[in-house]
Amino acid sequence: MTNIAVIDLGSNSVRVSVAKKESGEVVYIGKNPIMLSQGMNHDMLLKEAPIKRCKEAFLQIKEIAKKLEVEEIYAFATAAVRKAHNKKEFIDFIKEETGINIFVLTGEEEAELDCLGVLEKTEINEALILDTGGGSTEFIGVKEGRIVGAVSIPIGSRSIKELFFAD
């Protein structure tokens, strides 16, 4: 049976889920708090130390994927990479060092995926879903089980912390 891995590269952490491709049964979930957006608030550049932590986390994921016989790895980045002025250099570096391609979600795509996750796990038909991440916050309106509006604003818990508090 084929396994696939999905990586969620956020501002605070890297999360990975491995599932059986045919059934969707999750066989592994992991999280590594790499704080990718650490220090980027003032110049919007991803910094060397967080980039190195990200590379190491991706290499660990590759080892896990090998042990779990993963055939495909899909990596999706959110606000930290989306906002970074050195986004292309970062994506190219990670690809070169780990072999993993990163797809950067738009704020709207992130909001839609948030909504799909909530609707999959709940009985909600009408709601305002709020997802506060490290680098962005998404608001998603749901009516009759469908998205009626979604917006992403480029401020989250990590960016607020760095604006007002020292590490």
Side-chain angles (χ1 to χ4, degrees):
M1 203 171 268
T2 304
N3 288 331
I4 62 169
V6 177
I7 298 170
D8 172 2
L9 176 57
S11 299
N12 285 317
S13 62
V14 172
R15 297 174 186 263
V16 62
S17 295
V18 176
K20 294 179 181 178
K21 189 172 186 176
E22 291 80 13
S23 68
E25 177 190 345
V26 176
V27 296
Y28 177 83
I29 295 176
K31 179 181 175 183
N32 188 333
I34 64 164
M35 298 182 297
L36 182 61
S37 66
Q38 184 177 36
M40 76 177 281
N41 256 0
H42 300 291
D43 58 9
M44 299 313 287
L45 294 171
L46 295 168
K47 304 297 186 239
E48 186 176 339
I51 290 172
K52 183 178 178 185
R53 291 192 298 263
C54 182
K55 178 187 89 169
E56 294 304 318
F58 272 44
L59 289 172
Q60 290 173 357
I61 289 168
K62 282 194 72 165
E63 287 298 314
I64 292 164
K66 185 177 179 180
K67 289 176 186 170
L68 295 174
E69 300 177 355
V70 168
E71 286 190 8
E72 301 169 62
I73 299 175
Y74 300 95
F76 299 92
T78 56
V81 179
R82 183 169 57 237
K83 296 187 298 186
H85 293 313
N86 56 344
K87 166 179 32 184
K88 181 179 179 348
E89 295 82 2
F90 168 74
I91 291 169
D92 291 345
F93 173 78
I94 294 297
K95 169 67 175 169
E96 182 179 307
E97 295 290 318
T98 70
I100 298 174
N101 288 312
I102 298 173
F103 177 78
V104 181
L105 296 172
T106 66
E108 292 72 25
E109 289 169 330
E110 184 176 358
E112 288 175 16
L113 291 171
D114 288 339
C115 183
L116 290 174
V118 169
L119 294 178
E120 175 70 24
K121 296 292 183 183
T122 67
E123 299 286 324
I124 292 173
N125 268 340
E126 295 191 20
L128 173 62
I129 299 168
L130 171 68
D131 173 22
T132 302
S136 65
T137 300
E138 285 70 43
F139 298 88
I140 308 102
V142 178
K143 189 168 183 129
E144 297 176 5
R146 302 184 123 173
I147 298 173
V148 294
V151 65
S152 177
I153 59 171
I155 192 149
S157 62
R158 177 115 200 120
S159 49
I160 290 171
K161 179 197 178 295
E162 287 195 7
L163 284 171
F164 297 104
F165 306 99
D167 261 338

